[in-house]
Amino acid sequence: MSLADQLLQYLITGVSVGMVYGLVGLGITIIFNATGIINFAQGEFVMLGGMIAVALTAARLPLAAAVILAVAAVTMVALVTERLAIRPLRGASVIPLIIATIGVSLILQGGAKLVWGPEAVRLPAFSGEQPIRIGGGGIDPQRLWVMGLAALSVAAVQLFFKYTLAGKAMRACAINRAAARLVGISIDRMVRLSFAMSAALAALGGVVLTPVALMQCSQGTHYTLTGFLAAVLGGLGSGLGAVLGGILLGIVESLSAGFISSGYSKAIALAVALVVLWWRPEGLVRRRQA
Amino acid sequence: MKVVSSRWMQVVGVSCLVVVVAVAFSLSGCPPKPEPTPPGPMPPGPVKPAKPAPTGEPVKIGAIFSVTGPASPLGDPEKKTVELLVEQINADGGVLGRPLEVIVKDDKSEPTEAVLAVKDLIEGEEVVAVIGPSRTPTTMAIKDICQEAAVPLVSCAAGRTITDPVATYVFAVPQTNTLAVEACFDYLEREGIDQAAFIYAANSYGEDGYNNAKVIAAERGVELVTVETFGGEDTDMTAQLTKIKAKSPGAIVCWGTNPGPAIVCKNAQTLGIDVPMLQSHGVANMKFIELAGDAANGVQLPAGRLIVYDQISPDDPQKAVLDEFAAAYKAKYDKPPNTFAGHAYDALWITVNALEAAGEVDRAKVRDAVEQTEEFVGTAGIFNYSAEDHNGLTAEAFVWVKIVDGNWMLSE
Amino acid sequence: MIYKHMTKVIRAVGLAVFAALIVAPLVLRSAYLTTTGVLIGIHAIIAVGLGLLMGYAGQVSLGHAAFYGLGAYCSAILTTKVGLPPLVGIVAGMVITAIIALVVGAPTLRLRGHYLAMFTLGLGMIAQIIFNQAQGLTGGFSGISGIPRFSVGRLVVDTDAEAYILVLVVLAATIIIAHNVVNSRTGRALRALHESEIAASVCGVNVARAKLEVFVLSAVLASVAGSLYAHFITFISPDPFGFRFSVNLLVMVVVGGASSVWGPVAGATLFTVLAQFLQKAGEQVPYLDAVDTMLFGAVLVLVVIFLQQGLVSLPARLRSRRRSSQEQGAY
């Protein structure tokens, strides 16, 4: 492979991995905007999406049905989570809320392991395994699914916030909760909606990811942490920022694995993220402030 | 009103969750297609003379496995194996005419927990010997403790540092990474490949493989053109493989346990890398083929005979042991035993045999008996311990296998 | 009158039970109990520091396991590879940890919001990678074995019982320091700013500086605990110093209650004992080992919902059922 080919491959890899970070980050951002909580169970939603889809296809359900059911099931889990662990804490400060989400992530992780065991699982690829050749390298068609879906999700979420009443209400919530309540927006409903939306996104991400990345009950934490960093890098409040932050993380990781050291590539990406944050605490994309 | 409605919401929500989980559980519980049964009728086990039922105080052996935590794919089958064997042994007269009791502790894949567990086993339960732990770090954490307390430890972990240098009370049953790496370099030599890329999982197993490969490559005059690692949670190794492809090595050697190596195979296929892909015995299980799918085909590796137990020659001394263990395990747990299950089998049987040989429940005598183990036919190979060798296996423990059409094939 | 008398009796009995529990491992001469005791002590030392950070500075750290690891690795490397005495290792660990905590804390604690949580999370992940990858220094995944027991001059902490006493002494010192911090000018400032940062700064309290001091102190305490761990277990590998342990520490502080110095101690005790209890019970009850992750999660959620001030608030709560006024909510 020529250097240009390699570079191209690193960029493709970085973007495709980074978009996953970004997708999780987007979900974290949606909940953060509505509630001020950093949801540490977000990665668990990704994991559950993948695991449930695998269980359903193993029961010979068609893939499409499995995907829809998995997303619905995870959305349900998120709503139950919101009802049982988040709503009772209405009025609490942020730290107990964060800790409650960590507790939920442990419950979900432990439950998944009880049901499906510790080993990794996979799903058949959506449109074949024949790689698409690009330069000297290539890309899995499934990765295109992942990237396309991430891009679509971001666009849909942006449109939702811009043009629908519910979206506008959620934005109002993010800017000033007290004022939003004054104009008649039900905060509870917005919080519920944010949990449902971000869980659905995460589950969908988990399902499309499982054919290429495999899925394991213990993997949720990994997705939460990388998604969280992507969201922070993007300014914690901007969905687009989270996706851009994720892509930046992915590219730095891929390039440093290629040119510096694969052992330290994650550490390098993290260090870059921390330096960016130190230099620009508001993140890459400035959050719209009231 | 509001209170009632929200309480209803809660009830409905929880029941929905329960239903979803229950449905998923029941669905995943029934396998879609029956496992292909080995050809031919199951040989009836050799008829043994019925022994009298064990009586008296149970003989206590301790076991420490990583039943939960990141290493649970190792510890879980190990625990299952021990439970299976204890049933069998007690049904067959127990140990020294007494019932066998194995106290299994979970170290949660953590060295600290292993330390606590071993202290409780040695002092609280007063076990005669300890088998496990599953991982090298957890074993290393308790190596000195067992040595100082003079309690025999038969580890299920493969790290070189466990038995080198030899501690008088510490033994190990897995085929070492040293032997496995040597088998891989034998292959490279046979094929005349003198440039290879090495990629390993960032965990104790992968690292031990790399440390061995470094030394053996230098001895054999094979150049490691690039050495890469991947994290246990990584989901894409394309960047590492791109770098490897650019160096155009004659073969790729990958060292790790599921699921990372499966992703390595998939990504290599995506990049169109067509040099031989060698893996370690860490992936010698059906799960690996399931995870890597089509990309698993063509992968070659050194493995214990357990994975191809139905293909080895009937003359093979291990044949009977493997057949019997695999059949019993499958009957009880509905899936074939993997390498780690085999390690627990070997560790427990070696200890039990040593107890019988020692003739009494005495730690020092059991240690001596373990060290004098000769020609013990286990799942990993044929064990011959000595004062200098506390691993007991030779290169003979491995066969070279290749994955063809999604199945393990013994290759000569 | 009778009631007043009763509380005195209860308090006396409580103290007696407490004292009995502390000396129990020594009297029973059980290595298992003593080891559990040492681990409780080590966990409590870190939890007290983290409790100060959370309860008094209103900040959360998601990477305290990294400081714990830093102390452990400094001690292990300096004693086994350089051959320095353990005391030098502990002090070096404290100094290095303090510097890193300063570098991370100084820019982040000036900002409002949870930047410290993000930075410590990132720091924890980077530290874990370095512990894993810097094989020449840290021994990689195989870790470092043969770490000497703790000693000062000719005094060697050789047995588990001696290690237990050492950890108790350090824990007592930690609690005294924490009490002083709470009751010092800084402590009063911290309590003030937990109510209102603006009010505190109007009163002439340097909020950022006060937070930074507590953060550095808590990091240094974690490092000391790490050194004690290394000298006690005599083997270290990267496993105990990951994100999972950072979360466990949070659990200890939250369950115990961060509003008092004793809360984290109670939390660390309960956490460590509960883990061992579940382990023991798991040998009898099938599937229990599989649900213990879930159980910890459930305990965490229930405690933050029903017992926001943690276990230490329980007696006060039982005494007076007055509902505590809730603070400014997140939503």
Side-chain angles (χ1 to χ4, degrees):
Chain A
M1 281 173 105
S2 69
L3 195 63
D5 275 356
Q6 284 179 57
L7 202 59
L8 180 68
Q9 186 68 48
Y10 291 137
L11 288 176
I12 293 172
T13 306
V15 172
S16 77
V17 172
M19 280 184 101
V20 178
Y21 300 167
L23 194 62
V24 184
L26 175 63
I28 289 177
T29 305
I30 292 172
I31 293 183
F32 179 80
N33 278 347
T35 63
I37 306 170
I38 289 148
N39 176 26
F40 272 89
Q42 190 70 16
E44 257 60 44
F45 294 156
V46 177
M47 177 273 288
L48 277 183
M51 299 304 283
I52 293 176
V54 171
L56 292 174
T57 49
R60 293 193 174 164
L61 240 65
L63 190 63
V67 173
I68 292 166
L69 278 176
V71 171
V74 176
T75 309
M76 191 74 83
V77 169
L79 284 175
V80 173
T81 299
E82 192 273 334
R83 182 66 192 83
L84 297 183
I86 307 299
R87 187 112 45 99
L89 279 169
R90 186 173 26 190
S93 61
V94 175
I95 292 179
L97 279 163
I98 292 179
I99 287 163
T101 65
I102 291 179
V104 169
S105 80
L106 292 177
I107 296 175
L108 295 179
Q109 190 182 330
K113 202 167 195 172
L114 196 61
V115 178
W116 295 295
E119 290 197 275
V121 292
R122 78 174 292 207
L123 209 58
F126 292 6
S127 48
E129 307 238 356
Q130 198 55 45
I132 298 158
R133 295 262 157 263
I134 303 169
I139 186 164
D140 269 320
Q142 190 67 26
R143 280 277 170 201
L144 294 182
W145 273 95
V146 175
M147 289 160 79
L149 183 99
L152 250 165
S153 306
V154 182
V157 168
Q158 295 291 7
L159 290 176
F160 170 79
F161 280 128
K162 213 161 193 167
Y163 294 111
T164 65
L165 192 61
K168 285 178 188 166
M170 279 178 78
R171 257 166 60 207
C173 257
I175 292 164
N176 189 329
R177 265 181 280 273
R181 189 176 287 147
L182 276 178
V183 297
I185 296 169
S186 159
I187 306 287
D188 275 356
R189 191 173 300 160
M190 291 304 123
V191 171
R192 234 170 10 239
L193 187 61
S194 73
F195 265 84
M197 271 175 67
S198 91
L201 277 181
L204 202 57
V207 177
V208 285
L209 203 57
T210 304
V212 273
L214 312 177
M215 198 55 78
Q216 222 178 344
C217 292
S218 54
Q219 223 150 21
T221 315
H222 167 77
Y223 285 117
T224 304
L225 297 184
T226 46
F228 176 49
L229 282 164
V232 167
L233 207 50
L236 203 58
S238 153
L240 189 65
V243 176
L244 291 179
I247 292 174
L248 179 77
L249 273 179
I251 290 177
V252 172
E253 200 182 309
S254 163
L255 284 175
S256 41
F259 293 113
I260 305 171
S261 148
S262 48
Y264 286 105
S265 62
K266 277 223 167 56
I268 294 167
L270 281 165
V272 168
L274 293 187
V275 168
V276 168
L277 211 64
W278 178 71
W279 163 64
R280 243 184 106 93
E282 71 276 20
L284 292 173
V285 177
R286 205 175 291 267
R287 185 184 168 192
R288 281 176 298 259
Q289 283 287 344
Chain B
M1 245 338 263
K2 219 177 174 188
V3 174
V4 173
S5 74
S6 71
R7 193 159 286 165
W8 269 107
M9 272 279 300
Q10 196 169 339
V11 170
V12 171
V14 172
S15 19
C16 283
L17 183 64
V18 168
V19 168
V20 167
V21 171
V23 167
F25 187 35
S26 59
L27 291 179
S28 64
C30 53
K33 45 181 184 263
E35 289 277 331
T37 44
M42 200 73 78
V47 183
K48 290 173 193 159
K51 286 186 190 170
T55 53
E57 277 281 291
V59 176
K60 283 185 180 178
I61 294 177
I64 303 171
F65 298 127
S66 300
V67 185
T68 61
S72 53
L74 283 66
D76 187 55
E78 288 169 344
K79 183 183 177 190
K80 288 191 164 123
T81 302
V82 165
E83 284 166 358
L84 169 74
L85 292 188
V86 170
E87 265 172 38
Q88 286 183 348
I89 291 171
N90 283 335
D92 196 32
V95 183
L96 300 169
R98 291 160 59 180
L100 173 67
E101 184 184 348
V102 178
I103 299 132
V104 181
K105 290 201 171 267
D106 173 18
D107 63 28
K108 304 185 170 74
S109 315
E110 288 265 7
T112 320
E113 293 290 335
V115 168
L116 273 167
V118 82
K119 286 189 177 173
D120 192 29
L121 287 173
I122 292 175
E123 252 202 5
E125 307 284 356
E126 295 180 339
V127 298
V128 62
V130 178
I131 62 173
S134 317
R135 304 176 59 226
T136 305
T138 41
T139 304
M140 291 306 290
I142 67 168
K143 183 179 172 182
D144 290 350
I145 297 173
C146 288
Q147 182 65 25
E148 277 166 28
V151 175
L153 174 73
V154 185
S155 170
C156 293
R160 189 179 43 80
T161 43
I162 295 168
T163 51
D164 177 25
V166 167
T168 46
Y169 274 86
V170 181
F171 301 82
V173 291
Q175 304 96 341
T176 57
N177 274 318
T178 313
L179 293 175
V181 171
E182 264 169 3
C184 285
F185 279 80
D186 286 344
Y187 170 86
L188 297 180
E189 212 164 273
R190 283 202 298 278
E191 301 291 318
I193 297 166
D194 57 2
Q195 284 193 323
F198 198 87
I199 177 166
Y200 66 96
N203 58 31
S204 55
Y205 179 79
E207 188 189 78
D208 190 51
Y210 169 59
N211 287 340
N212 279 297
K214 233 177 0 191
V215 176
I216 294 166
E219 283 170 13
R220 305 278 187 104
V222 174
E223 187 194 351
L224 294 181
V225 286
T226 177
V227 176
E228 303 295 324
T229 78
F230 54 86
E233 314 259 89
D234 282 6
T235 53
D236 191 289
M237 286 66 157
T238 314
Q240 289 91 324
L241 287 161
T242 305
K243 193 171 170 188
I244 288 176
K245 189 178 183 187
K247 303 265 181 183
S248 32
I252 297 174
V253 185
C254 173
W255 224 260
T257 46
N258 287 334
I263 302 179
V264 168
C265 291
K266 285 163 76 103
N267 292 161
Q269 191 187 36
T270 306
L271 288 175
I273 296 176
D274 50 10
V275 298
M277 170 75 73
L278 307 187
Q279 293 273 358
S280 72
H281 55 308
V283 299
N285 44 57
M286 282 315 285
K287 194 79 199 172
F288 171 72
I289 296 181
E290 180 198 324
L291 294 176
D294 188 34
N297 290 328
V299 167
Q300 301 184 61
L301 52 100
R305 287 171 174 76
L306 184 57
I307 190 71
V308 286
Y309 74 92
D310 49 352
Q311 293 172 33
I312 56 175
S313 122
D315 310 333
D316 195 298
Q318 279 181 265
K319 176 78 175 168
V321 167
L322 294 173
D323 277 350
E324 199 187 323
F325 174 51
Y329 191 94
K330 230 170 161 176
K332 190 166 160 100
Y333 301 114
D334 203 29
K335 55 180 168 187
N338 63 12
T339 317
F340 308 113
H343 294 337
Y345 177 97
D346 295 343
L348 186 57
W349 267 118
I350 285 171
T351 313
V352 167
N353 287 344
L355 267 161
E356 294 280 3
E360 61 177 304
V361 185
D362 179 280
R363 288 168 178 171
K365 286 189 178 148
V366 169
R367 185 218 80 87
D368 294 345
V370 173
E371 194 168 78
Q372 283 153 18
T373 298
E374 256 179 46
E375 297 293 316
F376 167 72
V377 182
T379 64
I382 294 163
F383 290 83
N384 284 297
Y385 288 121
S386 69
E388 296 79 37
D389 180 10
H390 275 199
N391 178 258
L393 293 171
T394 62
E396 289 297 304
F398 284 116
V399 286
W400 193 254
V401 296
K402 186 171 184 173
I403 300 172
V404 181
D405 294 331
N407 268 310
W408 296 103
M409 295 298 285
L410 187 63
S411 70
E412 291 311 320
Chain C
M1 275 308 282
I2 296 168
Y3 177 73
K4 214 170 180 185
H5 199 65
M6 279 297 287
T7 50
K8 256 184 196 164
V9 171
I10 290 173
R11 185 165 295 171
V13 170
L15 272 177
V17 170
F18 183 63
L21 281 178
I22 289 182
V23 296
L26 297 176
V27 177
L28 295 173
R29 294 171 170 277
S30 150
Y32 171 65
L33 284 183
T34 318
T35 305
T36 311
V38 170
L39 289 175
I40 290 174
I42 287 173
H43 292 163
I45 292 167
I46 320 173
V48 167
L50 192 59
L52 282 179
L53 182 69
M54 286 165 71
Y56 294 91
Q59 290 282 332
V60 59
S61 164
L62 296 174
H64 252 50
F67 299 126
Y68 180 49
L70 221 54
Y73 274 101
C74 273
S75 283
I77 291 167
L78 290 179
T79 49
T80 59
K81 308 216 165 172
V82 188
L84 292 171
L87 206 55
V88 177
I90 291 190
V91 173
M94 288 164 73
V95 171
I96 293 172
T97 307
I99 292 170
I100 291 177
L102 268 174
V103 169
V104 173
T108 45
L109 286 169
R110 257 185 287 126
L111 304 163
R112 287 185 58 86
H114 287 279
Y115 284 93
L116 187 72
M118 299 164 196
F119 270 76
T120 47
L121 178 67
L123 182 77
M125 290 161 79
I126 293 175
Q128 180 73 17
I129 293 170
I130 293 172
F131 296 154
N132 287 342
Q133 294 287 334
Q135 234 200 88
L137 205 57
T138 63
F141 292 92
S142 313
I144 300 175
S145 50
I147 303 166
R149 291 287 195 149
F150 185 75
S151 61
V152 186
R154 297 228 307 279
L155 191 73
V156 185
V157 180
D158 224 358
T159 64
D160 288 352
E162 287 164 9
Y164 180 61
I165 293 168
L166 172 71
V167 168
L168 281 183
V169 169
V170 177
L171 176 60
T174 305
I175 290 171
I176 291 167
I177 292 171
H179 263 298
N180 281 335
V181 169
V182 171
N183 296 320
S184 70
R185 200 180 119 71
T186 319
R188 291 196 305 273
L190 286 170
R191 260 179 293 171
L193 70 87
H194 200 51
E195 299 298 324
S196 162
E197 277 196 18
I198 297 164
S201 49
V202 166
C203 296
V205 173
N206 188 337
V207 175
R209 196 195 151 95
K211 281 187 190 172
L212 186 61
E213 281 172 8
V214 170
F215 176 61
V216 173
L217 174 65
S218 76
V220 168
L221 286 175
S223 157
V224 172
S227 297
L228 291 175
Y229 173 87
H231 288 301
F232 175 63
I233 303 279
T234 70
F235 166 83
I236 56 168
S237 66
D239 308 89
F241 311 114
F243 180 66
R244 196 154 64 142
F245 188 68
S246 290
V247 171
N248 287 351
L249 287 170
L250 279 187
V251 178
M252 294 176 206
V253 174
V254 171
V255 169
S259 57
S260 137
V261 171
W262 289 100
V265 179
T269 310
L270 187 73
F271 180 93
T272 317
V273 171
L274 191 64
Q276 288 310 309
F277 173 76
L278 284 177
Q279 163 81 268
K280 284 268 184 193
E283 289 156 27
Q284 260 77 49
V285 187
Y287 295 111
L288 196 68
D289 49 1
V291 296
D292 77 345
T293 315
M294 289 176 83
L295 215 64
F296 272 119
V299 167
L300 206 50
V301 174
L302 292 176
V303 165
V304 289
I305 291 176
F306 295 110
L307 211 63
Q308 269 201 34
Q309 305 303 313
L311 280 179
V312 282
S313 70
L314 208 53
R317 270 195 158 200
L318 291 178
R319 264 202 298 273
S320 68
R321 295 248 170 128
R322 249 184 322 134
R323 276 188 60 193
S324 55
S325 58
Q326 291 197 324
E327 17 172 343
Q328 176 65 39
Y331 75 91

